[in-house]
Structures are given as structure tokens and as C-alpha cells.
Amino acid sequence: MAATPPLPTTKNESGDGVWQGGLAEAIRQPATSTGDDMLDPLEKKRLQAQLGAGKAKDTSYFVRKNGVNEVLAPVEGATVDDGVSTLYFRECEDSTFEIGTMSAKILIDLCKNCRFLVRGKVVTATIEMYKCENANVELGVAIRTIQADLCNGAHFHFSRREDFD
């Protein structure tokens, strides 16, 4: 049996601190005002239905983050077999998210004036965006499917031409 890789560090550069324990632990921290603890039960059920019941439990939520710079650090030596989360960003404003960790999929919903730097592998190579305004996504990995519905000012920048083909 292979050794378990260390958990990633999630760092919030807005001064709220640094947490050990990976994405799931970071979103449970009440001081950050993020994660599924910010959602009322009806909103959580609606989001779970939108994600699909089987996938909802493996989702890391970033909800109503305003004016922050977050770094989701990669896990050295991590593989798909270690388990990956869907990353769900909702109602964030004026923020930057540097995504270095491996994820299953990235969903961006109702975000305004946000920047997403995708550097970690996205297993399904899929990003979905809905009703976002002035969202910039900089891709340093291959993404094969981008769905941007009802967005105003959505920009996708590919670092390599072969990732666009």
C-alpha cells in the first residue's frame, strides 16, 4: 500500500491565517466565512441537486468570498486515486483564487470581478461558469470543455496553444 501524501495547505492571504488539513478542513473554518457552513439548509440542498447527489459530498465550497487572495496549494505526489473534489465558487467578488491542487471539476457561479489561476490538473478537464461578470480564468493546464452560460465579460487565457486545441 502506497504512503498517504501529506495534506495540502490552504492559505488565505487576506490576513485570516493559514490552515493545515486540505481543502475540506479549510472550508470548515468559521473565521473565513466560507464553505458549506455558510449555506442555509435550503440553499445547500439546491446546490447539491445542481451538482448531483453522488458528487455533492466530494465538493469544496467557496461561498461569498469578497476581496481575498486564496492559494489552494498542490499536494506533492497526489494522484487521482487519492480522491479529488469538485471546486465550487459561488457569489465571490473582487477576489483571486490560485488553484494548484488537483480537482475533479471547477464550477464558478455568480462571481463578479474575480480571477482564477488554474495550475492544478482538472481530472474531467471541465470548467463551468454561470451568470458571472468580469471573470478571468487563466489556464496553465489542459481544459477541453468550457461552458459559460449567461456571463458578461468572461475571459479565458490559455498559457499554451496545445491546451486550446
Side-chain angles (χ1 to χ4, degrees):
M1 181 175 261
T4 304
L7 294 172
T9 300
T10 301
K11 181 178 180 184
N12 181 326
E13 294 180 3
S14 68
D16 290 337
V18 177
W19 303 279
Q20 300 292 327
L23 294 174
E25 180 61 27
I27 65 171
R28 284 193 281 271
Q29 300 296 325
T32 65
S33 300
T34 64
D36 57 5
D37 58 326
M38 283 280 298
L39 305 173
D40 64 53
L42 183 60
E43 185 178 22
K44 188 171 182 178
K45 282 184 181 183
R46 187 184 67 75
L47 293 177
Q48 288 174 342
Q50 184 178 2
L51 291 168
K55 299 174 187 165
K57 66 181 178 190
D58 298 326
T59 300
S60 295
Y61 298 90
F62 298 86
V63 180
R64 297 179 195 105
K65 300 203 56 129
N66 298 320
V68 299
N69 293 311
E70 287 240 356
V71 178
L72 310 178
V75 177
E76 190 173 320
T79 67
V80 175
D81 295 332
D82 297 323
V84 292
S85 291
T86 295
L87 301 179
Y88 189 71
F89 300 89
R90 181 177 172 84
E91 298 177 28
C92 299
E93 291 187 28
D94 304 313
S95 296
T96 298
F97 300 94
E98 185 174 343
I99 304 165
T101 188
M102 186 183 314
S103 61
K105 180 184 201 178
I106 298 174
L107 301 167
I108 305 168
D109 190 15
L110 299 166
C111 293
K112 295 179 183 177
N113 304 315
C114 288
R115 183 175 174 212
F116 300 88
L117 305 155
V118 182
R119 305 288 182 250
K121 179 177 180 164
V122 180
V123 177
T124 62
T126 300
I127 294 178
E128 294 181 20
M129 186 181 286
Y130 179 71
K131 286 190 175 180
C132 293
E133 294 180 24
N134 300 319
N136 289 296
V137 181
E138 297 178 25
L139 302 165
V141 296
I143 297 294
R144 301 294 182 221
T145 304
I146 295 173
Q147 180 176 337
D149 293 329
L150 302 173
C151 294
N152 184 17
H155 302 278
F156 293 86
H157 307 274
F158 292 83
S159 63
R160 299 178 311 179
R161 182 172 183 79
E162 57 268 18
D163 290 342
F164 182 70
D165 294 335

